[in-house]
Amino acid sequence: PMGGIGGAPFVGKTGFGAFSHHVPDDGHIIILFGPHIAISDEGELGKYLREGQVHESTACGAVLGAYAACKCGQAGEFDEMDMQQSWLKQRINRRFGEIESSDDQMKALIHVAYEAVKEKLLGIINTDFGSGKLILIGGIQINMPKPWEDHFQPLYYKVHQKDADPVD
């Protein structure tokens, strides 16, 4: 219920509050979050041959598109009609120099995207839904070429509960 392009939770505080108030009494919430990146048959990050298609495409297309815009100096103003992509461009542009100076720009890019998603998620969550736990599992979804199964690189795990410090 919180998804958006690039893996960011665009529902905001209001959306999270509405979602969390649907949890059963003493119920728990588990959120798996983060962006995704693909690996092509040739081992190239950001390229993926989707089932039923004959040409590779980008994955995550939104993150890679935002990066391409930043590379051309077109991060642009915030566009109300394209809020999610505008947000991605702004977050990537903030750390553009770090990405560009990396030995592996695609790897650096997806980690910058992950950190932006994590920051946004941590900014909207609350534990006001009862005595249950809020379990956050963050990382990067890695789409693998056929015949391999996709993977998940875990980078964050915390259990939050009302009136308690988060636990790793």
Side-chain angles (χ1 to χ4, degrees):
M2 298 189 304
I5 61 175
F10 283 99
V11 299
K13 291 179 180 183
T14 301
F16 182 84
F19 159 73
S20 66
H21 282 94
H22 293 273
V23 175
D25 294 341
D26 301 324
H28 305 291
I29 299 172
I30 298 174
I31 297 175
L32 180 69
F33 70 91
H36 74 115
I37 188 86
I39 301 177
S40 71
D41 282 327
E42 293 77 34
E44 185 179 358
L45 286 176
K47 301 279 182 154
Y48 191 66
L49 182 59
R50 289 176 167 82
E51 195 170 319
Q53 296 184 356
V54 295
H55 299 288
E56 290 179 339
S57 57
T58 57
C60 172
V63 170
L64 293 171
Y67 178 58
C70 293
K71 283 181 88 159
C72 296
Q74 297 179 355
E77 297 292 318
F78 190 81
D79 181 352
E80 220 176 83
M81 300 306 289
D82 199 8
M83 292 189 296
Q84 295 182 23
Q85 190 66 10
S86 293
W87 181 86
L88 281 171
K89 286 190 238 180
Q90 288 178 350
R91 292 309 182 276
I92 290 167
N93 202 42
R94 287 180 188 171
R95 295 179 60 189
F96 183 74
E98 174 187 334
I99 296 165
E100 285 290 290
S101 64
S102 172
D103 290 338
D104 189 337
Q105 293 173 348
M106 288 296 105
K107 180 180 174 186
L109 171 63
I110 204 64
H111 280 272
V112 164
Y114 162 76
E115 289 296 330
V117 169
K118 181 178 84 170
E119 178 185 335
K120 189 167 184 72
L121 179 68
L122 294 176
I124 69 167
I125 61 167
N126 68 65
T127 54
D128 297 335
F129 56 88
S131 61
K133 294 179 170 106
L134 170 61
I135 301 159
L136 302 178
I137 305 167
I140 299 168
Q141 174 74 30
I142 304 168
N143 302 119
M144 300 294 293
K146 299 291 181 207
W148 294 283
E149 295 291 322
D150 292 344
H151 295 282
F152 182 77
Q153 178 188 17
L155 298 170
Y156 184 93
Y157 179 84
K158 288 206 189 283
V159 178
H160 298 253
Q161 194 165 19
K162 192 172 190 160
D163 301 324
D165 290 333
V167 177
D168 289 342

